[in-house]
Amino acid sequence: MAAEEVDVVVIGMGPGGEDVAGRLATAGLDVVAVEARQVGGECPYYACIPTKMMVRAADALGEARRVPRLAGSATVRPDFTPVADRIRDEATTGWDDTAAVERFEKTGGRLVRGRGRITAPGEVVVTGGPEPRTFHARKGIVLNPGTEPLVPPVEGLADTPYWTNREAVAAREAPDSLLVLGAGPVGLEFTQVFARFGSAVTLADNGERVLGPAEPEASAVLERVLRADGVDVRTGTAVRRVSHDGELFRVEFDRGEPVRVRRLLVATGRRTDLAGLGVGAVGLDENARTIPVDERLRAADGVWAIGDVTGHGAFTHTSVYQAPIAAADVLGTGGPAADYRAVPSVTFTDPEVGMVGLTESAARQQGVRVRTGLAELSSTPRGFIHGPGGDGLVKVVADADRDVLVGATAVAPGGGEVLGALSVAVHAEVPIPVLRQQIWAYPTFHRAISAALEALGTS
């Protein structure tokens, strides 16, 4: 069958892919978007949106349990049904992407269901439909393939009915017991959610601490909070063997007692199958973990890549930040280049962990002469007022030679919102003396930034 001539083929319709495809189609280009699953990607159906609904509900339970220390008495009886209903009916519409498809098609683009593979420069073959279809892209190909769960090669694991984030989000009830494998953001959020809904949760990670890439002070706060929620936190230990008897999982570790649990959730990272994407056809390494891109998101001649696959942060906000930059380059309209100095991230535990820029360790590894300042939330007026549930801190990382912040962490109720001011400071390279002169509203959580800046000292 002859190739269909189009202007641009977009492979993958996650948030960034949907954005760039819509921009290009609106600009008048003939755009074909290829997606094997839901338009919108993982975020609105199995990640960002539904998981934060779970977090919202779990936080309500956590706060209700603080009533006896603050305001009298309360009886809390967890029920996961309203959460599951809200995810099904409000967030995902039964995991139906009809509205997203219609939104995209109104821009003038065309959606083709299936898996896209680059077979030659400017050529994409889509399989998974009634028959393969071949498209020749006159202007280029944009890659936004997203990721799949990375399942570790643990003996016996592949033969069991383990969960990934997809099964956990679609659950209709909280299991009576659960092992979460992986203490990154995804694993931590699910751990706290199910623990607060009554599951006996074991959290296991072979790293030295939970949320390993974060500041160690932030990790310590989270571990303390999780243990208070009844979680059995096991760090520095690897899973050796997994089996399933039809009812329960048995999980064995390289140290410590084995556990038997109703469910096992794998949250050990994500991966992209670059070989399956066919990137070797345009001279890219199919065995790499990511696709290197320049400041305009160019990966090869006539090929752009955005999102998780670029290695600049597996976040929806990174993908949608990159989308207009890539679209502008395809259209030749110019505009600012990508700048990753102040990439923010938030782990939506209670307390939230907001991070931007470099951690102290990362800054030192880059040769920065570092100064740090830290303020414990409990020592600030708002932390004192908040009382139960007010665990947290603000830590700032400064380049001592340039006298600007290069990174910061806010662990607090609403820590992601506190992060806003810190992100502006890092992105705009606001001089530290200017930040210190700012008037910080009293008594707020974000006023802890002022205390952390004072703790920097002057040398």
Side-chain angles (χ1 to χ4, degrees):
M1 182 178 293
E4 300 177 51
E5 293 285 330
V6 299
D7 289 323
V8 176
V9 176
V10 177
I11 301 179
M13 284 288 278
E18 185 181 359
D19 187 298
V20 73
R23 288 174 184 271
L24 296 175
T26 300
L29 297 188
D30 184 3
V31 178
V32 163
V34 181
E35 178 55 63
R37 288 180 169 164
Q38 288 103 333
V39 172
E42 200 84 353
C43 180
Y45 301 100
Y46 297 102
C48 322
I49 306 302
T51 61
K52 301 317 167 276
M53 285 185 169
M54 298 169 81
V55 166
R56 169 73 175 113
D59 285 354
L61 292 175
E63 193 67 3
R65 290 172 177 137
R66 294 169 185 138
V67 167
R69 292 183 60 189
L70 291 168
S73 63
T75 300
V76 181
R77 292 188 296 273
D79 181 359
F80 202 74
T81 302
V83 185
D85 288 348
R86 192 176 181 213
I87 289 171
R88 181 193 62 202
D89 301 335
E90 299 178 29
T92 68
T93 320
W95 290 273
D96 183 348
D97 69 348
T98 299
V101 173
E102 292 175 349
R103 180 175 62 239
F104 168 62
E105 291 181 339
K106 284 180 181 178
T107 68
R110 289 185 287 155
L111 176 68
V112 176
R113 296 285 189 182
R115 295 193 174 276
R117 176 181 173 83
I118 302 173
T119 50
E123 182 179 273
V124 174
V125 172
V126 181
T127 57
E131 59 183 25
R133 298 177 67 179
T134 302
F135 296 92
H136 182 263
R138 290 182 289 261
K139 293 186 72 69
I141 299 166
V142 181
L143 303 175
N144 179 224
T147 56
E148 297 285 342
L150 176 62
V151 180
V154 174
E155 181 182 340
L157 178 60
D159 299 322
T160 68
Y162 61 84
W163 278 359
T164 66
N165 63 299
R166 289 177 161 250
E167 291 77 21
V169 162
R172 293 295 306 172
E173 60 184 19
D176 55 19
S177 56
L178 171 72
L179 174 85
V180 177
L181 183 55
V186 174
L188 289 168
E189 289 175 13
F190 279 123
T191 289
Q192 192 172 56
V193 164
F194 285 115
R196 290 186 169 182
F197 271 93
S199 302
V201 182
T202 301
L203 174 64
D205 195 286
N206 58 9
E208 294 181 0
R209 52 191 172 88
V210 303
L211 203 61
E215 298 284 10
E217 297 92 342
S219 298
V221 171
L222 278 190
E223 183 168 337
R224 184 169 66 247
V225 168
L226 290 174
R227 291 189 187 280
D229 277 334
V231 177
D232 177 6
V233 180
R234 302 189 183 193
T235 53
T237 183
V239 174
R240 293 176 51 200
R241 187 178 300 107
V242 175
S243 59
H244 190 261
D245 63 8
E247 291 291 333
L248 298 175
F249 290 84
R250 176 181 167 84
V251 183
E252 300 175 34
F253 303 90
D254 59 4
R255 62 184 182 85
E257 293 297 312
V259 297
R260 289 175 64 82
V261 290
R262 185 74 56 188
R263 296 290 182 187
L264 188 158
L265 170 59
V266 175
T268 50
R270 312 280 297 184
R271 64 180 293 273
T272 300
D273 181 7
L274 294 185
L277 196 58
V279 298
V282 290
L284 299 174
D285 184 0
E286 294 187 343
N287 297 312
R289 294 186 63 183
T290 60
I291 296 176
V293 292
D294 68 10
E295 71 280 1
R296 302 289 174 183
L297 287 310
R298 304 170 189 136
D301 187 25
V303 179
W304 291 259
I306 62 174
D308 299 5
V309 75
T310 64
H312 287 291
F315 314 118
T316 295
H317 49 265
T318 301
S319 184
V320 298
Y321 166 76
Q322 293 172 326
I325 299 172
D329 200 56
V330 173
L331 294 168
T333 56
D339 178 356
Y340 303 106
R341 285 173 301 143
V343 176
S345 68
V346 182
T347 300
F348 290 88
T349 45
D350 175 18
E352 292 178 359
V353 180
M355 303 189 297
V356 64
L358 301 175
T359 61
E360 178 182 354
S361 174
R364 293 189 189 282
Q365 289 174 10
Q366 292 189 17
V368 176
R369 191 166 70 88
V370 168
R371 286 191 292 132
T372 65
L374 188 144
E376 296 284 352
L377 212 61
S378 60
S379 67
T380 67
R382 182 58 184 274
F384 169 74
I385 293 166
H386 195 81
D391 302 88
L393 55 90
V394 170
K395 180 176 180 178
V396 292
V397 180
D399 181 331
D401 295 323
R402 295 189 296 135
D403 212 19
V404 296
L405 298 184
V406 293
T409 296
V411 184
E417 311 308 321
V418 174
L419 188 68
L422 293 165
S423 293
V424 171
V426 174
H427 177 77
E429 297 185 325
V430 180
I432 289 171
V434 173
L435 292 175
R436 283 178 168 151
Q437 292 165 9
Q438 179 174 329
I439 300 174
W440 303 87
Y442 182 95
T444 59
F445 285 122
H446 76 251
R447 189 176 171 86
I449 298 171
S450 176
L453 290 170
E454 289 304 314
L456 274 170
T458 57
S459 62

